Amino acid sequence: MADLAKVAGVSKITVSRALSDSPLVNRETRERLQQLAHELGYKLNVSARNLRLRRSHTVAVIVEMKPSHDRTMFDPYPLVLLGGISQELTAHGYSVLLTTRQGATAAAVQAADGLILLGQGSRQDAVRRFDKLGLPMVVWGAPGDEHVVVGSDNRQGGDAVAEHFVRLGRRHPVFVGNPNHPEIFERLTGFVDALAAHGIKPLLIRRDEFTLASGMDAMHSLMDRGVPFDAVFACSDLLAMGAIRALNQLGRSVPGDVSVVGYDDMPLAASFLPPLSSVRQDWQEGGTLLARKVLAMINDEPEQSETLPVELIVRET
Amino acid sequence: MADLAKVAGVSKITVSRALSDSPLVNRETRERLQQLAHELGYKLNVSARNLRLRRSHTVAVIVEMKPSHDRTMFDPYPLVLLGGISQELTAHGYSVLLTTRQGATAAAVQAADGLILLGQGSRQDAVRRFDKLGLPMVVWGAPGDEHVVVGSDNRQGGDAVAEHFVRLGRRHPVFVGNPNHPEIFERLTGFVDALAAHGIKPLLIRRDEFTLASGMDAMHSLMDRGVPFDAVFACSDLLAMGAIRALNQLGRSVPGDVSVVGYDDMPLAASFLPPLSSVRQDWQEGGTLLARKVLAMINDEPEQSETLPVELIVRET
DNA sequence: TCCGTGCATGATATCGATATCATACGCAAC
DNA sequence: GTTGCGTATGATATCGATATCATGCACGGA
């Protein structure tokens, strides 16, 4: 910038002002300097600006990146979340610094203006650790603690599926999933509560993985035990698909004998045979909201937790 | 840091040295200062350090984030790439700045020490634009231009499938996909060349989307035209699955009448019915390699393009 | 003529770290 | 006693931008 100033025969502060479109400089000078900067290939030194402004215009997104047998950040869905975040932040001139929990000790995170935590659901300890950084922070997940949390309404999801089953006259529903995960616990809670209102108590089949194989396995163990059931609420679409396949193999028809509902409404769900009923979450919108809240907090506006509605998509199962 | 120095009764440069474990300061002093820094909750100002060191220890990863009908960054696979990158960079004290092409004009990208481009396959213009930044840059994709490119060996993939079909005695293979995409063009080239050696000329069915529906559609149009064929090489697993489903509906058995091979070997491929044969790429390794190369280039070591082997997984189709 | 006002520009300090060169001291060797 | 060397610490300049306060100048009104 100093060089630019010398070449143009003005002071560097004038260059600075010109390049940031300050109305303080004459329009003519401003345009001349911008033109010159462009010609000379001038590149702003962002570190210097960050130092002076005490802002990095960067938000750190911290994801859980465990190996893939559990629900991880690298499932397709949570990633749409990241897409929403990125889009919203970019639109406001902010950048996304992507980190894992391990990488979060790296220096760059401390330079961030704010923090978004994804997929930390079950680790309150991690959340608290990042809270200590004293940065504006928003967490994706189930509400209920002292932080600003954005999440989709898992309880409502469970509730909707319960009502759906009841309407269909199902009396012996099963829930498949891992209730240790806070978000899934919410689904279970909504499910159980809504059913209780109709005097029904569902069965819980605990399965930790979100795979097709796990869904099949769940149905097999259920049939082996000889427990009667006529509806399955699986907390992921893959689990649901596995369940349907196993049920067919075992001679039970879907949806004739058993109704099945999945969760997430992945694109494949609609083209599954038979087309899978599922609960849809708007991840993109969730990402946008997360981003909006951090930005607001960075600008010292108070924010609070918020829950996004979900939608039960009834297809043929 | 100045405050720390005052409290400890030393100069700030001594504090700086102590905190960076410099051997220049007495061990006793060093430990005392580190302890003190911890107690006072001192946080290094990363912008200041970046400014002084002229390094941000940050690598910008620029992804393509189009809406989801085409192959995008938010497919599960390319994301494993991101996982590999992130892991490798983190291990070397670098952070990942995630941006889209649109967001890349944002200031923070200019502060990066290096650039990784993902999913820019078909847009050489974009690649060139980023090259102008003058930063060390590595591109994921098909080799052949003037940049350092890392990619999996798509040509070998096509080749392997061709040989596989020939071994099975297939004489009328079809390729389904969009050859405008450079990586897919490579697959086609490998496929065509290997078949030519056996005097076989495959049919090309151009399909731009990577969906199940698109795969089904391709088979329908093929049957409508009455063209004879006995093997299908689809350039994604979803396309392959769609093809298989359509073929079954149309009364042709897989693999009896028609052999089908997909690409990517997504987890679902193994549990598809029948289990899908597919070409597997090691995305994780690709990410690691991308990261390693940028890091090397950042340290002024010369680097060149590299191609990763792929593996044909033969299952039942 | 003098003053106030508005506009365009400049001088200087500052953000918080690190590199470079300088200094102070103790101790051994001549 | 002086020289030389190694160790521990400090003074100062510097990275490249922006905020604050100051300055120069033209112009209109009293």
Side-chain angles (χ1 to χ4, degrees):
Chain A
M1 199 172 256
D3 297 349
L4 251 180
K6 222 166 288 172
V7 174
V10 299
S11 72
K12 33 182 209 153
I13 182 63
T14 301
V15 176
S16 170
R17 288 200 264 247
L19 295 185
S20 57
D21 273 331
S22 160
L24 284 176
V25 301
N26 190 326
R27 170 170 21 206
E28 225 172 290
T29 326
R30 199 193 317 163
E31 283 169 0
R32 181 167 62 93
L33 288 174
Q34 292 182 351
Q35 170 73 16
L36 190 66
H38 185 74
E39 280 168 14
L40 299 186
Y42 165 77
K43 295 274 173 351
L44 179 76
N45 182 315
V46 182
S47 299
R49 161 190 271 176
N50 287 348
L51 172 58
R52 184 67 240 235
L53 297 183
R54 298 146 147 270
R55 280 252 176 135
S56 63
H57 289 271
T58 287
V59 170
V61 176
I62 297 168
V63 303
E64 182 66 27
M65 255 195 244
K66 276 198 284 185
S68 64
H69 66 278
D70 196 351
R71 159 158 303 208
T72 72
M73 200 46 221
F74 286 108
D75 280 342
Y77 295 95
L79 273 158
V80 177
L81 213 57
L82 188 52
I85 293 171
S86 161
Q87 197 173 313
E88 185 73 11
L89 288 181
T90 298
H92 290 84
Y94 275 72
S95 303
V96 176
L97 192 77
L98 185 68
T99 345
T100 59
R101 199 137 43 81
Q102 296 76 44
T105 48
V109 175
Q110 297 180 21
D113 295 336
L115 241 51
I116 294 179
L117 263 56
L118 301 183
Q120 305 290 345
S122 44
R123 340 197 110 262
Q124 283 303 312
D125 51 330
V127 178
R128 259 187 292 276
R129 208 188 87 208
F130 291 119
D131 201 24
K132 282 211 202 94
L133 287 179
L135 295 171
M137 179 173 91
V138 181
V139 183
W140 174 264
D145 34 35
E146 64 267 46
H147 310 101
V148 175
V149 177
V150 172
S152 73
D153 195 339
N154 289 287
R155 202 175 285 233
Q156 180 210 333
D159 183 282
V161 175
E163 295 298 340
H164 174 63
F165 285 162
V166 168
R167 261 195 309 277
L168 293 172
R170 303 301 184 180
R171 307 290 302 172
H172 304 288
V174 178
F175 181 96
V176 183
N178 174 5
N180 278 4
H181 193 296
E183 298 180 56
I184 292 180
F185 181 77
E186 290 289 309
R187 292 177 203 167
L188 178 59
T189 306
F191 192 57
V192 169
D193 288 358
L195 288 172
H198 295 88
I200 299 175
K201 191 165 176 303
L203 193 67
L204 168 65
I205 298 278
R206 201 195 136 123
R207 278 293 171 302
D208 294 354
E209 302 195 349
F210 290 79
T211 62
L212 212 108
S214 177
M216 295 182 66
D217 183 61
M219 292 304 105
H220 279 112
S221 82
L222 206 52
M223 298 287 281
D224 285 352
R225 284 199 268 159
V227 194
F229 67 97
D230 55 12
V232 174
F233 176 22
C235 66
S236 92
D237 283 344
L238 285 182
L239 278 173
M241 291 177 186
I244 292 170
R245 181 186 293 179
L247 288 170
N248 287 337
Q249 285 171 354
L250 294 165
R252 306 199 60 183
S253 87
V254 175
D257 301 328
V258 183
S259 295
V260 178
V261 174
Y263 216 100
D264 287 343
D265 190 34
M266 54 189 277
L268 222 51
S271 23
F272 191 71
L273 282 182
L276 182 69
S277 302
S278 187
V279 178
R280 176 185 296 168
Q281 322 190 35
D282 191 344
W283 297 95
Q284 166 93 23
E285 176 64 19
T288 307
L289 200 59
L290 281 167
R292 264 209 282 271
K293 285 197 192 289
V294 209
L295 289 178
M297 290 170 73
I298 288 174
N299 295 319
D300 287 323
E301 299 161 21
E303 275 292 349
Q304 37 193 352
S305 297
E306 193 164 336
T307 293
L308 292 159
V310 298
E311 184 186 5
L312 171 62
I313 310 288
V314 178
R315 297 204 180 86
E316 299 184 15
T317 63
Chain B
M1 198 173 257
D3 297 350
L4 251 180
K6 221 168 286 171
V7 174
V10 298
S11 73
K12 32 182 210 155
I13 182 62
T14 300
V15 177
S16 170
R17 288 201 264 248
L19 295 186
S20 57
D21 273 331
S22 160
L24 284 176
V25 301
N26 190 325
R27 169 166 27 207
E28 225 172 289
T29 324
R30 198 193 318 163
E31 283 169 359
R32 182 166 62 93
L33 288 174
Q34 292 183 351
Q35 170 72 17
L36 191 65
H38 184 76
E39 279 169 14
L40 299 187
Y42 165 77
K43 294 273 174 354
L44 178 76
N45 181 317
V46 182
S47 298
R49 160 189 274 177
N50 288 348
L51 173 57
R52 185 67 240 237
L53 298 183
R54 299 146 149 271
R55 281 248 176 141
S56 64
H57 288 270
T58 287
V59 170
V61 176
I62 298 168
V63 302
E64 182 65 26
M65 256 195 244
K66 276 198 284 186
S68 62
H69 66 278
D70 196 351
R71 160 158 303 207
T72 71
M73 199 47 221
F74 288 107
D75 281 342
Y77 296 97
L79 274 158
V80 177
L81 214 59
L82 188 52
I85 292 170
S86 161
Q87 197 173 313
E88 184 73 9
L89 288 181
T90 298
H92 290 83
Y94 275 71
S95 303
V96 176
L97 192 77
L98 186 69
T99 344
T100 59
R101 199 137 45 81
Q102 295 75 43
T105 48
V109 175
Q110 297 180 20
D113 295 336
L115 241 52
I116 294 179
L117 262 57
L118 301 183
Q120 305 290 347
S122 43
R123 338 197 114 262
Q124 282 303 312
D125 52 327
V127 177
R128 260 188 291 276
R129 207 187 87 208
F130 290 121
D131 201 24
K132 282 213 203 90
L133 287 179
L135 295 172
M137 178 173 92
V138 181
V139 183
W140 174 263
D145 35 35
E146 64 267 46
H147 309 102
V148 176
V149 177
V150 172
S152 70
D153 195 339
N154 288 287
R155 201 174 286 233
Q156 181 210 333
D159 184 282
V161 175
E163 295 299 341
H164 174 63
F165 284 164
V166 169
R167 260 195 309 278
L168 293 173
R170 303 300 184 181
R171 308 289 303 172
H172 303 288
V174 178
F175 181 96
V176 183
N178 174 4
N180 279 4
H181 194 293
E183 298 181 55
I184 292 179
F185 180 77
E186 290 289 309
R187 290 177 203 168
L188 178 58
T189 306
F191 192 57
V192 169
D193 289 357
L195 288 172
H198 295 87
I200 300 174
K201 192 165 175 304
L203 193 67
L204 168 64
I205 298 278
R206 201 194 136 121
R207 277 295 171 310
D208 294 354
E209 302 196 349
F210 290 80
T211 60
L212 212 107
S214 177
M216 295 182 66
D217 182 61
M219 293 304 105
H220 279 111
S221 81
L222 207 51
M223 298 286 281
D224 285 351
R225 284 199 269 157
V227 194
F229 67 97
D230 55 13
V232 174
F233 176 22
C235 66
S236 91
D237 283 344
L238 285 182
L239 278 174
M241 292 177 185
I244 292 171
R245 182 186 293 178
L247 289 170
N248 286 337
Q249 285 171 355
L250 294 165
R252 305 199 59 184
S253 88
V254 175
D257 301 328
V258 183
S259 295
V260 178
V261 174
Y263 216 100
D264 288 344
D265 191 34
M266 54 189 277
L268 222 51
S271 22
F272 190 70
L273 282 181
L276 181 69
S277 302
S278 187
V279 177
R280 176 186 297 168
Q281 322 190 36
D282 191 344
W283 297 95
Q284 166 92 23
E285 176 64 19
T288 307
L289 201 59
L290 282 167
R292 264 208 282 270
K293 283 194 194 292
V294 210
L295 289 178
M297 291 170 73
I298 288 174
N299 295 319
D300 286 324
E301 300 162 21
E303 276 291 349
Q304 37 194 352
S305 297
E306 194 165 333
T307 292
L308 291 160
V310 299
E311 185 185 5
L312 170 62
I313 309 287
V314 178
R315 297 204 181 86
E316 299 183 15
T317 63

